[in-house]
Amino acid sequence: MSKRLAEVARKVGVSEATVSRVLNEKPGVSDATRQAVLTALDVLGYERPTKLRGERARLVGLVLPELQNPIFPAFAEIVGGALTQNGYTPLLCTQNAGGVTESDYVDLLLAQQVSGVIFLGGNYTQADAAHQHYERLRQVNLPTVLVNARVPELSFATVSTDDAAAAEQAVLHVHQLGHRKIGLLLGPEDHIPSRRKLESARRLLESLGAPLADELVVRGMYSLESGQAGASRLFAAGATAIVCASDPMALGAVRAARRAGLSVPGDVSIVGFDDSALMSCTEPPLTTVRQPIESMGRAVIALLLAQIAGTAQPSDELLFEPELVLRASTGPLPL
C-alpha cells in the first residue's frame, strides 16, 4: 500500500496523505485533485477501491490474436456490429509479435472500466501459454466470453466450432474419394483445437482401417508460408490429400503442390478450415469446412449481455456444428 501511495503521489504531485484521503473518501480534497488521483491509479495500473470504481463504461474489449487470418476480422465485424446495436462500443485490441501482449490488453481494458471482454482466439487455446491474466478478470467478476476451444482449467463462457466434427467431415470426404495417405496440417502441439482435430482424425482413420502415420502429421503456424512448408513435408511423406487447420494454410499447401509440379486436384487434394472470404474465388476454389460465424457471433453476444445483466453465470462450452463446403480443390485419388 505504501508503495502505491508514494507512486500515485509522485505522479499527481501531491502528498501521500492526500492520496490516502482520496482512497478512503475523506473530506478536504478538491474535486480536481480527487479526479487526478483516480486517473493516476488507472494510468499506473492499480485497481481502484471497489467503492470508487463507479459504473462501468459501455465499452467491450474485442481481443484478437492477429488480423492476417481473414476469419478473425470477419468474426470481429459480426460481434462488433451486434455490440453497437445493443448500445456498446467495441474496443479492438490486436496482438502483434513483439508488441502489446494479451496480458497488457487485459490491464488496459480493466483500467478503462469496460463492461466486458470477448476474446476471439488467444492464450487460452494453448496449454503451454501464460494464463495468469485471466485470473484478474475472474477476480473482478468481469463478464467474459471466449471464442474457440480453451484449456479445461479456464471455466469462462466459451463458444466454439466442433473441431472433432470438422476433422471427421474433412477426413471422411477425402477417404471416400479413395485417398488413404491423408496428411494433417495442424497448429502447435499445445493448441487445443488442433488436439481435438487430431484425436478425431486418428479415431476415424483407425475405424476405417487406415491408421494415421506419425509422418503424416505436421504442425505449423496459421499462415500461408507455414502451410507451404508443412505441405512440402507431407508430399515428401507420400500424402495424396491434406486436411488443413486453416484456409491460409490450405492456400500454402496449394502453392507447395504447384512448386512440386503437382496438380490440385488432379494429383493431390487439399481441404481448408474456416471458409474465409474469397475462398470460392481461389484457383482452384477451395474445399473447406465452414465455421458458422454468424450464429456463433449471436451466441457470444447473448452470453455476454446475460452476464452483464446479472441473469447468467459463465457457462460451459457451446459447440457449433461445422459444414463441409465442397469446391474444386478435392478430387478422386488418381489411378
Side-chain angles (χ1 to χ4, degrees), residues 18 20 25 68 79 82 109 122 154 168 182 184-185 191 204 226 238 254 284 287 290 314 319 328:
T18 297
S20 179
E25 294 191 288
Q68 290 185 345
V79 172
L109 294 170
L154 297 173
E168 184 175 308
I182 300 169
L184 297 182
L185 194 48
H191 189 239
L204 176 61
S226 182
V254 171
T287 293
R290 176 181 295 159
L319 288 178

Side-chain angles (χ1 to χ4, degrees), residues 237-252:
T240 62
I242 299 179
V243 172
C244 304
S246 76
D247 288 339
M249 294 176 94
L251 296 181

Side-chain angles (χ1 to χ4, degrees), residues 186-199:
L186 304 172
E189 188 172 356
D190 69 330
H191 189 239
I192 304 302
S194 290
R195 284 185 179 180
R196 292 181 176 182
K197 289 183 174 74
L198 177 57
E199 291 169 1

Side-chain angles (χ1 to χ4, degrees), residues 55-324:
E55 292 187 9
R56 294 195 179 277
R58 293 184 69 82
L59 302 171
V60 171
L62 286 184
V63 185
L64 283 69
E66 58 163 310
L67 288 175
Q68 290 185 345
N69 188 332
I71 196 64
F72 292 119
F75 255 122
E77 182 178 7
I78 291 170
V79 172
L83 285 171
T84 302
Q85 291 173 358
N86 283 277
Y88 290 89
T89 300
L91 294 179
L92 189 64
C93 304
T94 306
Q95 299 172 64
N96 296 302
V100 180
T101 66
E102 193 174 88
S103 180
D104 293 333
Y105 275 129
V106 167
D107 289 338
L108 173 64
L109 294 170
L110 288 173
Q112 292 294 320
Q113 292 289 290
V114 295
S115 295
V117 184
I118 298 169
F119 291 89
L120 304 177
N123 288 14
Y124 60 90
T125 65
Q126 293 186 254
D128 298 336
H131 299 141
Q132 297 89 334
H133 50 286
Y134 299 114
E135 183 58 29
R136 299 203 293 278
L137 300 175
R138 188 175 303 289
Q139 287 172 352
V140 297
N141 199 30
L142 187 69
T144 301
V145 181
L146 312 179
V147 177
N148 225 342
R150 54 172 162 76
V151 295
E153 296 77 23
L154 297 173
S155 57
F156 292 99
T158 306
V159 174
S160 304
T161 297
D162 189 334
D163 293 294
E168 184 175 308
Q169 290 178 15
V171 170
L172 185 59
H173 168 59
V174 291
H175 186 276
Q176 290 173 337
L177 289 172
H179 297 274
R180 295 299 177 264
K181 283 213 164 188
I182 300 169
L184 297 182
L185 194 48
L186 304 172
E189 188 172 356
D190 69 330
H191 189 239
I192 304 302
S194 290
R195 284 185 179 180
R196 292 181 176 182
K197 289 183 174 74
L198 177 57
E199 291 169 1
S200 175
R202 281 196 189 280
R203 284 195 304 269
L204 176 61
L205 288 169
E206 187 74 34
S207 69
L208 293 172
L212 181 64
D214 290 342
E215 63 269 21
L216 291 178
V217 179
V218 172
R219 301 181 181 279
M221 306 307 294
Y222 288 90
S223 66
L224 187 148
E225 293 78 13
S226 182
Q228 180 178 347
S232 296
R233 291 171 55 191
L234 289 171
F235 292 140
T240 62
I242 299 179
V243 172
C244 304
S246 76
D247 288 339
M249 294 176 94
L251 296 181
V254 171
R255 178 192 285 180
R258 287 176 176 158
R259 297 280 171 88
L262 300 172
S263 166
V264 180
D267 297 313
V268 293
S269 290
I270 309 292
V271 183
F273 178 75
D274 286 335
D275 195 26
S276 311
L278 306 181
M279 291 305 104
S280 62
C281 303
T282 59
E283 182 52 46
L286 188 67
T287 293
T288 186
V289 181
R290 176 181 295 159
Q291 292 202 68
I293 61 173
E294 291 194 12
S295 54
M296 290 172 70
R298 289 194 295 270
V300 167
I301 297 301
L303 287 170
L304 186 76
L305 295 181
Q307 290 181 56
I308 291 173
T311 58
Q313 294 298 315
S315 62
D316 293 331
E317 182 180 15
L318 301 182
L319 288 178
F320 282 73
E321 188 73 11
E323 177 188 359
L324 180 66

